[in-house]
Amino acid sequence: MCWDSREQSIRNWTTFKGRNNFYCDGRIMMAKDIYVFYFTLFLICGTSGLFFAFDCRFLSVNVSALIPAVAAVLLFFTLSNLLRAAFTDPGVLPRATPDEILVLERQHAAAQSAELGYKPPPRTKELTINGVQVKLKYCFTCRIFRPPRASHCSLCDNCIENFDHHCPWVGNCVGKRNYRFFYLFIVSLSALTGFIFVCAVLNITLQTRSNGFLQTLKASPVSIAEVCICFFSVWSVVGLSGFHSYLLGRSRTTNEDIKGSRSSDSSNPSYSRGGCLSNCCHTLCGPFPPSLLNPRELLLTPPSSNAVGRQSRLIDPQPRPTGTQPQPLPPTTDTQTTTHTRPPTGQFVLGGGDYFRWNQGTPVAQSTTI
């Protein structure tokens, strides 16, 4: 069997239901409101630009020629990690397909068949992980049981693996796939802010010795502005870096620390890997987890919403004499159980006529009419 040529291929990100924006044909994923992210870029690039334009020349001649090089390396490291944290899928969990929702409702109906009245699906499910009973919470928006440490972000309207927090400064959620970039960003930003602050103060001090303080204020107002910006910024950035260093060493997230879900409930399993160094190495140097969304995956969509069914879009692949047109396969009522994976309703992946779900590709047995 082959697909009808009237069907059109689309990218998977075009069917995404969360409150996110995609750019570069699905290669970049960000939150809906990114104005604070632009303000972050403006502060970093603006302050660094003023430093390179007004302070670096004097300091490179009178102090050391390495000062511009060190500042450039810190700026590059800061911006690269900021962009990686902002543009990376934080670990969004795909929503349940209509078939999965139907299976869950059938299981709930079977469990409640002996009782009168309707009750909503259970909000928790218990699993055993490393010999410990763990409760999985049900998300009524994504219609899935969230894995441990996952949480639903109300701003992005997605369930995020290892959800830490939603950070407007980077324009994205911080989760399993971009936490390392977020941590390296705030650490490198702390180093860059402190370096510019010290260099600007050194520049003012050296010029004050030769020209006097009042004359220096008139001659170097930009350096005074850099000192003020860095002074009020360095405390919050350094404090944030220290807080996340503490969380990283204990293998915790901001969401868990605020809610106290890991300290007050002794039934939760420990996700620590034996020590502070092991936790840091696993988070910062461990293998990069794959995305479950596959936003650039090619899907097929029917030419119109009035398609009667799958049979109307299948063509008989048997060879026929020259000049005859292939005829659509006649519908049958035979039902057979097949094992395959499936995409969202009305979407099919190219290749072989099989269904492929757009997230994990887990084989699922179900009855289909062929």
Side-chain angles (χ1 to χ4, degrees), residues 142-217:
C142 300
R143 311 294 291 273
I144 61 173
F145 283 99
R146 294 192 295 262
R149 312 187 77 181
S151 184
H152 190 88
C153 176
S154 59
L155 297 177
C156 294
D157 200 25
N158 297 311
C159 284
I160 310 294
E161 276 192 288
N162 292 15
F163 177 74
D164 191 87
H165 69 288
H166 182 92
C167 182
W169 298 99
V170 301
N172 205 347
C173 286
V174 178
K176 183 177 181 179
R177 300 190 70 248
N178 65 345
Y179 181 80
R180 67 177 65 181
F181 305 121
F182 171 78
Y183 177 77
L184 294 176
F185 161 65
I186 58 177
V187 170
S188 57
L189 181 60
S190 300
L192 177 64
T193 306
F195 183 80
I196 293 179
F197 176 76
V198 171
C199 290
V201 170
L202 181 60
N203 182 24
I204 295 174
T205 303
L206 293 178
Q207 294 192 32
T208 300
R209 291 179 179 179
S210 57
N211 301 325
F213 183 71
L214 294 179
Q215 186 64 27
T216 301
L217 291 180

Side-chain angles (χ1 to χ4, degrees), residues 207-276:
Q207 294 192 32
T208 300
R209 291 179 179 179
S210 57
N211 301 325
F213 183 71
L214 294 179
Q215 186 64 27
T216 301
L217 291 180
K218 296 179 181 180
S220 304
V222 176
S223 299
I224 303 298
E226 294 173 14
V227 170
C228 294
I229 294 175
C230 294
F231 178 80
F232 290 106
S233 302
V234 70
W235 303 109
S236 58
V237 176
V238 171
L240 185 63
S241 300
F243 173 68
H244 278 278
S245 298
Y246 160 77
L247 295 178
L248 183 62
R250 300 192 62 182
S251 186
R252 301 180 66 172
T253 64
T254 303
N255 186 55
E256 293 168 346
D257 189 76
I258 293 176
K259 294 182 177 180
S261 58
R262 293 280 299 281
S263 57
S264 59
D265 189 0
S266 59
S267 64
N268 284 324
S270 175
Y271 299 101
S272 177
R273 288 165 177 81
C276 177

